[in-house]
């Protein structure tokens, strides 16, 4: 689906590298707070924005890399959307020299939403409860 959306919009990037780790949490540990929709979507998107910002502001990669990870983790704590694979998103944006904020929304946010939808369908078909509902 993301590839199709990328083709429609003329964007070559349609997959993010840390999506596999996010999928592990969503499919294998669906009850984990770190696998819930807010954590996955907001954590990944925030980390991409932070990584891109660090890439722009810090020209030295040895400063930009740890700053991107640290600030993305801090942001996830503040927003209560802690998602460990998202720290890799911050690294990927700096290492990949990703300079366009569009990347945070497509593919990162769109792929995260599609992953949550697939996880919810899978969990409902297998009798698992996902996402967690407040008690």
């Amino acid at each position: 689906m993301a590839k199709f959306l990328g083709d429609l919009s003329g964007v070559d990037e349609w997959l993010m590298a840390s999506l596999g780790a996010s999928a592990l949490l969503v499919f294998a540990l669906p009850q984990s707070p770190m696998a819930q929709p807010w954590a996955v979507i907001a954590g990944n998107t925030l980390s991409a924005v932070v990584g891109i910002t660090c890439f722009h502001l810090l020209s030295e990669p040895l400063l930009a890399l740890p700053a991107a990870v640290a600030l993305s983790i801090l942001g996830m704590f503040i927003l209560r959307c802690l998602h460990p694979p998202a720290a890799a998103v911050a690294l990927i944006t700096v290492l990949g020299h990703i300079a366009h904020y569009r990347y945070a929304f497509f593919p990162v946010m769109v792929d995260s939403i599609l992953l949550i939808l697939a996880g919810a369908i899978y969990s409902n078909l297998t009798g698992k409860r996902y996402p967690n509902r407040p008690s």
Side-chain angles (χ1 to χ4, degrees):
M1 180 61 136
K3 172 85 168 106
F4 175 73
L5 292 173
D7 289 344
L8 281 179
S9 62
V11 176
D12 290 334
E13 304 135 348
W14 56 274
L15 188 63
M16 59 182 200
S18 63
L19 194 63
S22 294
L24 176 102
L25 287 172
V26 170
F27 288 99
L29 301 167
Q31 298 305 310
S32 169
M34 296 176 192
Q36 299 310 301
W38 174 248
V40 175
I41 297 166
N44 282 332
T45 305
L46 169 72
S47 294
V49 169
V50 168
I52 294 164
T53 302
C54 286
F55 174 73
H56 282 293
L57 297 178
L58 303 169
S59 59
E60 175 56 49
L62 292 178
L63 295 175
L65 289 166
V69 172
L71 291 172
S72 67
I73 291 170
L74 176 63
M76 287 187 283
F77 269 115
I78 291 169
L79 295 178
R80 296 179 182 244
C81 59
L82 189 62
H83 183 64
V89 174
L91 284 175
I92 290 163
T93 57
V94 174
L95 288 171
H97 304 287
I98 296 170
H100 299 286
Y101 285 97
R102 174 199 46 78
Y103 181 82
F105 302 101
F106 187 80
V108 174
M109 186 175 73
V110 170
D111 282 354
S112 298
I113 292 169
L114 292 173
L115 173 63
I116 293 302
L117 292 173
I121 291 167
Y122 171 79
S123 292
N124 289 323
L125 289 175
T126 58
K128 297 176 185 174
R129 196 169 183 186
Y130 180 80
N132 281 348
R133 289 162 182 86
S135 49

